[in-house]
Amino acid sequence: DKCSKDDEVLTKIWKIPLSMCVDSRPLVIDRGKEYVVIAGSQGGDLACVSASGKLLSRTIVTGKIEGDLSYLSSNSHSKMDSIIFVPSYISNNTAASDNGIIHALKLSESNTFMPLWTYTVNGEMKSRPTLCTFGDKSNCHRLLAASYNGSLSLLDAITGELLQLMDALGGAIHADPVLLKNGISNCQNVCASKDVIVASCSWKGKVTCLTITQAFMTKKWELDLWTPIYASPYVNHTDLFVILCGVDGSVRSLNCNNGVENWKTLTGNKPIFTTSVETCFDAITDTPMHTNTRQIVFGSNDGNLRCVDGFTGVMLWSISVNAPILSSPICILGKVLCATTAGSVLVFETLLLQTEGIKGLVEESSSKNSNQIGEEKVKSSSSKGLIRLDGEIFSSPSIKGNDVFIGCRDSCLYKLTFK
């Protein structure tokens, strides 16, 4: 099960079965000298797996797991205990029922799950719970949980106590609430307040910036984009702009401080469900690389991986992967990795995409605005690696070193390696 190219960029290492489709992004947690991977499925089961593929423990929570997981590391000297936050939902026809659930589970030193608390709310929960930490000793932890009833809950991450419930955010929320780092590289920085971006998937497409303190949430600014936003916002924490991709195929850059639009690009009428990423951002180190370019990459439901200029929104290149992209791409050491609903995982050389994409751009027609540049498909030779899994891929990948972890609709968690 190696990649189809001679350079063998991708290699399949192992797969672990779960009870149903694995659509959420696998969670990688450092555990001292090694790390573990936690994956959840639509069947509500959670698996904790070692890097070598050994199943360490398994548990089941109520509801379907579709949103991504998050975690809080222990403050103890051993640093081997963690709290895992799992969003789930129960499908039924009773709109007034409490069918969205956040499960908090302790992952013990022996890598077993222990229930701590649950929080229920009206409306399905399909987004990742967002962790906020306040205090110079990191002793004040808050959790933001978004729901399909259009509310955002501010919780005590340790006890599950509800501190504030905010609604009137524009309708159902599918995208992850994204915390601004305020120009500081550590997201758990010491400050009295933090800002978070929340986007709705209703027809209004309302985007709201909230200021979060230890006990309260207040609105800083809001803007209606008039297209549903399912893709989680991407924030550049240095220059403080946010990228939002819409169901109408639009891509926007907004100023995080005031919501003013920097630019807007229309890529076509096909939905964008994937979170965008900058090619200068390296997923291995979780840090931006120093570069004068700013290129925003995202996948579309029409089966194209696209890139726009982050300064202007001008289309730079587009490549067809012959199947819808619902999994968010990641950038690794000058390469872009993406996955498709055909079960393909592909790796592309960023520089080769830039070169061929610039050559292939068609001149703008007089009937189009400056950000609707026609595009020529990039040659398939720019692909540097390809591997096929045994089902559709909705899950976004996680990375640790040269290891890639991704869920699949064949009900399995996969580990791949790349070079």
Side-chain angles (χ1 to χ4, degrees):
D1 287 333
K2 293 187 176 181
C3 64
S4 61
K5 299 293 181 181
D6 293 337
D7 55 7
E8 297 184 349
V9 171
L10 288 171
T11 305
K12 190 189 302 180
I13 303 299
W14 50 251
K15 67 177 182 179
I16 298 291
L18 281 82
S19 65
M20 290 182 68
C21 301
V22 182
D23 291 340
S24 67
R25 185 195 300 265
L27 181 65
V28 181
I29 302 178
D30 283 311
R31 306 287 281 174
K33 295 182 180 179
E34 55 182 12
Y35 63 89
V36 298
V37 184
I38 299 174
S41 85
Q42 293 270 5
D45 57 328
L46 287 165
C48 179
V49 185
S50 70
S52 62
K54 179 182 178 182
L55 180 62
L56 301 175
S57 63
R58 190 187 295 266
T59 193
I60 297 178
V61 300
T62 301
K64 299 181 178 181
I65 302 171
E66 184 176 322
D68 295 345
L69 318 180
S70 57
Y71 78 99
L72 172 64
S73 296
S74 170
N75 286 326
S76 66
H77 293 295
S78 65
K79 295 186 179 180
M80 292 299 287
D81 289 342
S82 301
I83 301 177
I84 314 299
F85 303 104
V86 183
S88 73
Y89 66 96
I90 302 170
S91 297
N92 56 52
N93 295 322
T94 307
S97 65
D98 293 339
N99 56 359
I101 310 172
I102 295 290
H103 308 266
L105 304 124
K106 177 182 176 181
L107 185 66
S108 69
E109 190 170 350
S110 59
N111 293 310
T112 57
F113 295 103
M114 300 171 58
L116 292 180
W117 53 261
T118 59
Y119 170 74
T120 59
V121 68
N122 294 339
E124 299 173 350
M125 285 191 173
K126 297 185 179 182
S127 61
R128 177 178 181 264
T130 299
L131 185 69
C132 306
T133 297
F134 300 91
D136 56 358
K137 295 183 180 179
S138 297
N139 55 1
C140 182
H141 306 287
R142 299 293 181 253
L143 200 68
L144 295 168
S147 167
Y148 260 54
N149 73 350
S151 69
L152 185 68
S153 301
L154 178 64
L155 307 173
D156 185 308
I158 304 300
T159 66
E161 176 189 0
L162 175 64
L163 303 173
Q164 185 183 357
L165 182 70
M166 178 173 284
D167 51 18
L169 295 173
I173 302 172
H174 182 94
D176 301 343
V178 176
L179 195 69
L180 272 63
K181 299 178 184 177
N182 300 322
I184 303 176
S185 60
N186 182 2
C187 66
Q188 296 186 1
N189 55 77
V190 179
C191 56
S193 65
K194 300 174 187 289
D195 290 343
V196 65
I197 302 291
V198 179
S200 73
C201 60
S202 68
W203 60 278
K204 269 192 172 184
K206 183 181 289 293
V207 179
T208 308
C209 181
L210 302 169
T211 297
I212 313 294
T213 66
Q214 295 184 22
F216 299 103
M217 299 182 287
T218 55
K219 290 185 180 180
K220 186 175 181 179
W221 55 261
E222 59 185 7
L223 179 68
D224 292 335
L225 301 184
W226 301 106
T227 181
I229 305 295
Y230 281 88
S232 298
Y234 169 76
V235 173
N236 180 301
H237 300 281
T238 302
D239 297 326
L240 290 180
F241 65 85
V242 57
I243 301 295
L244 294 138
C245 300
V247 166
D248 62 352
S250 64
V251 182
R252 289 176 171 87
S253 172
L254 304 181
N255 185 310
C256 289
N257 291 317
N258 52 28
V260 171
E261 186 176 281
N262 299 318
W263 51 259
K264 173 185 174 182
T265 293
L266 298 176
T267 64
N269 59 0
K270 296 298 183 180
I272 302 172
F273 295 117
T274 72
T275 301
S276 58
V277 66
E278 284 189 87
T279 57
C280 67
F281 189 89
D282 184 60
I284 293 181
T285 60
D286 196 31
T287 56
M289 296 179 289
H290 296 291
T291 175
N292 292 325
T293 63
R294 179 181 291 164
Q295 298 184 8
I296 310 297
V297 178
F298 55 92
S300 298
N301 204 48
D302 63 359
N304 284 282
L305 184 69
R306 292 188 169 94
C307 177
V308 298
D309 186 297
F311 292 106
T312 65
V314 170
M315 184 75 68
L316 297 179
W317 51 259
S318 175
I319 181 168
S320 174
V321 295
N322 300 316
I325 303 173
L326 301 181
S327 166
S328 298
I330 57 174
C331 296
I332 316 164
L333 300 175
K335 301 179 178 66
V336 178
L337 183 147
C338 75
T340 76
T341 58
S344 300
V345 183
L346 304 102
V347 176
F348 300 94
E349 288 280 3
T350 304
L351 290 177
L352 188 55
L353 283 170
Q354 293 173 21
T355 302
E356 294 185 352
I358 291 172
K359 288 180 180 178
L361 285 176
V362 178
E363 290 296 326
E364 172 191 4
S365 69
S366 58
S367 63
K368 295 180 179 179
N369 68 38
S370 61
N371 285 340
Q372 283 184 291
I373 296 178
E375 55 202 78
E376 185 105 359
K377 296 295 182 290
V378 178
K379 298 177 183 177
S380 60
S381 62
S382 56
S383 173
K384 299 298 292 182
L386 166 65
I387 197 167
R388 293 190 183 277
L389 306 187
D390 299 326
E392 296 178 302
I393 301 173
F394 289 11
S395 165
S396 297
S398 293
I399 190 165
K400 180 68 175 180
N402 284 1
D403 298 332
V404 177
F405 301 94
I406 194 166
C408 184
R409 304 216 99 198
D410 67 348
S411 303
C412 289
L413 165 69
Y414 284 80
K415 176 182 177 179
L416 315 174
T417 60
F418 76 95
K419 65 178 182 179

